[in-house]
Amino acid sequence: MARRQSSSSKPSIAIIGAGLAGLRCADVLVQNGIRVTVIEARDRIGGRVHQERLPGGRAVVDLGPNWIHGTDDNPIFDIAKHTNTAAGSLDSNVWVHDHLGDLMSQEDGQRCSAMVWDLVQQAFEHSNAHGAETHADKSLLDFVRERITAMIPESDGEFAKKRETVLRLAEMWGTFVGSPVSQQSLKYFWLEECLEGENLFCAGTYKKILDHIAAPAMAGADIMLNAKVTEITHPPQSGNKVKVQLDGGRHLLFDEVVVTAPLGWLKRHPEAFNPRLPARLTKAINSIGYGCLEKVYVTFPTAFWLVGTKMSGFIEWITPTYAPSNPRRWHQDAFELGSLSAPDNHPTLLFYTFGEQSKHMTSTLAQLTTEAERTAFLTDFFQPYYSLLPNYSAESSDCHPLGFLATEWLNDELAGNGSYSNFQVGLENGDKDIEIMREGLPDQGIWFAGEHTAPFVAVGTATGAYWSGEMVGKRIIEAYARVEQS
């Protein structure tokens, strides 16, 4: 760590971004008596961890992460328990509508869904064991197509129909990574694995979790909101400060700068670093994919689909051919939230979109200037699906949405115009790319944190963001401790 000077004073550290990574990093540094300034371009903390109230005032919901991926040794799960945040497994029922809109029997739907998850598990095992020799252009979809012939042999009287159904249903994996399965790297599919344990839906939202993580930084750091960073000048000379330029001309000097901007922002703003980042680091940033997962909450006066039925849990509409508003036949995937445990249940369908559908929806919404226009567009798009649910009647007010709440991360520059990192076909050195971003440029006072620099078991998750900030904070403390000891 050649640039660090032995000094009796504590270093001054800037953290760019007040998301989970930045807030946790600030916590670690503040605990060790280090002067920390958190610079945030938004008018709030949290980054992509953010909540809004549904139309009609029914409930507050997450616009960003609303899952806790893994319960074994997961600090986010521990914080959820500590803050009494409701989080649990969703009903495991799966209800599948075929391409004509007909509801498959629950037995058949569950069986096909189980096959998809079996294939996903096989893909994880294959990638872990054979990733090194797997061709970079091979996708998860390629793997599914190969393995499905053994899973559903020709001796099955309906093998062709069953294979086609499972292939179509496999598209739902796109809601986990924010990109189509045809673009998911098989070589680096192992990097999509999460912590052991359950995947829990955070019914109580991430609000109390965020507040708990933010509390030390809010109390002990200087928090600058509405402060957009335009340039970071990192001189290679030993002992020189790192200059952070803000929108409006103001600049600040620090000993170290931790950049927690999303991966998508780093991709779009290479000019923000002066001098430019080294070629290998730039290549790493550009090599890892950045997803476009979006959410649309559709809330109703009542959960009409639950009345006298068992339709709770996950609902799929595979390759719909019956929806004029969806000529590309994008797969639809929703969780119904009416069957959550009280008091966190509410009559809402949560749709996830990804890939080209996300781009279509967010680009259209960006062009609509009134709430009435946006509501009309979203009604036209989603009505073909919720109208197939039990008890639906166009004449019943219970079946008319109170409103829609749609995320638009693709339109959000500060979110990097997307959601989170993923691993797409063509990727040659994904694990090394993550490690290079994780290492950063400590000798020039530049460190990186965020879900894209997380431990491999948590890349792309809120837990990963939290851990990445913690790791950088500890590394900075250790670096200065070594200087003081020398």
Side-chain angles (χ1 to χ4, degrees), residues 16-18 39-44 224-229 414:
I16 299 175
I39 304 173
E40 170 56 55
R42 301 185 191 274
D43 60 0
R44 59 171 179 80
M224 298 176 60
L225 300 179
N226 298 301
K228 185 176 181 180
V229 173
L414 299 178

Side-chain angles (χ1 to χ4, degrees), residues 44-361:
R44 59 171 179 80
I45 65 168
R48 285 168 286 180
V49 179
H50 186 51
Q51 299 78 33
E52 285 190 17
R53 187 168 293 278
L54 288 172
R58 290 258 172 163
V60 174
V61 295
D62 281 310
L63 300 188
N66 49 19
W67 290 86
I68 297 174
H69 294 288
T71 50
D72 293 358
D73 298 318
N74 187 338
I76 297 297
F77 178 55
D78 294 339
I79 294 169
K81 290 189 293 184
H82 177 77
T83 58
N84 294 314
T85 295
S89 300
L90 286 185
D91 193 318
S92 60
N93 288 330
V94 179
W95 304 85
V96 181
H97 296 82
D98 67 19
H99 65 290
L100 298 175
D102 296 327
L103 181 64
M104 298 171 56
S105 70
Q106 187 180 16
E107 183 181 8
D108 287 345
Q110 293 276 85
R111 184 187 301 113
C112 289
S113 178
M115 287 182 183
V116 172
W117 283 105
D118 188 6
L119 288 164
V120 166
Q121 184 57 41
Q122 290 181 37
F124 278 135
E125 293 170 359
H126 176 88
S127 184
N128 272 303
H130 306 290
E133 61 263 29
T134 299
H135 196 282
D137 289 336
K138 192 167 186 177
S139 71
L140 174 60
L141 182 59
D142 294 330
F143 180 86
V144 169
R145 284 175 172 156
E146 291 174 3
R147 291 296 179 96
I148 201 171
T149 57
M151 181 172 284
I152 308 175
E154 292 188 12
S155 58
D156 187 311
E158 295 186 310
F159 76 92
K161 179 181 178 181
K162 290 180 179 178
R163 287 179 184 176
E164 184 65 22
T165 298
V166 172
L167 277 172
R168 287 173 169 168
L169 194 56
E171 292 182 24
M172 65 89 176
W173 183 257
T175 63
F176 288 83
V177 297
S179 295
V181 290
S182 60
Q183 296 300 306
Q184 169 69 59
S185 167
L186 179 63
K187 182 180 181 71
Y188 285 104
F189 193 48
W190 62 272
L191 283 171
E192 299 287 3
E193 286 190 286
C194 291
L195 293 168
E196 294 293 326
E198 296 181 85
N199 286 319
L200 304 182
F201 185 79
C202 194
T205 80
Y206 263 75
K207 180 65 169 65
K208 289 189 288 187
I209 296 172
L210 172 63
D211 290 345
H212 178 88
I213 294 170
M218 299 297 287
D222 180 15
I223 309 292
M224 298 176 60
L225 300 179
N226 298 301
K228 185 176 181 180
V229 173
T230 57
E231 187 176 72
I232 304 165
T233 302
H234 50 111
Q237 293 85 1
S238 175
N240 284 8
K241 300 281 188 176
V242 182
K243 183 171 75 172
V244 176
Q245 190 84 24
L246 301 180
D247 193 19
R250 183 184 179 190
H251 73 266
L252 305 169
L253 298 177
F254 299 95
D255 294 301
E256 315 285 337
V257 172
V258 182
V259 181
T260 74
L263 176 63
W265 190 93
L266 296 176
K267 288 175 177 288
R268 289 171 175 264
H269 295 280
E271 78 289 344
F273 296 90
N274 180 25
R276 295 289 183 101
L277 298 176
R280 184 61 185 92
L281 177 53
T282 298
K283 182 179 179 181
I285 290 170
N286 291 331
S287 293
I288 302 299
Y290 198 57
C292 48
L293 182 67
E294 301 285 356
K295 303 171 186 177
V296 180
Y297 291 90
V298 189
T299 189
F300 297 86
T302 66
F304 64 85
W305 56 89
L306 293 178
V307 179
T309 77
K310 297 180 180 180
M311 184 170 273
S312 59
F314 304 85
I315 308 171
E316 310 280 348
W317 297 264
I318 58 175
T319 325
T321 61
Y322 47 86
S325 56
N326 182 7
R328 298 281 297 277
R329 301 180 182 180
W330 290 309
H331 179 101
Q332 302 301 316
D333 184 319
F335 303 145
E336 65 80 28
L337 306 181
S339 60
L340 295 175
S341 299
D344 300 298
N345 58 324
H346 46 94
T348 302
L349 300 173
L350 168 54
F351 285 84
Y352 284 94
T353 72
F354 60 91
E356 293 302 316
Q357 180 177 341
S358 288
K359 295 175 184 177
H360 165 69
M361 300 201 72

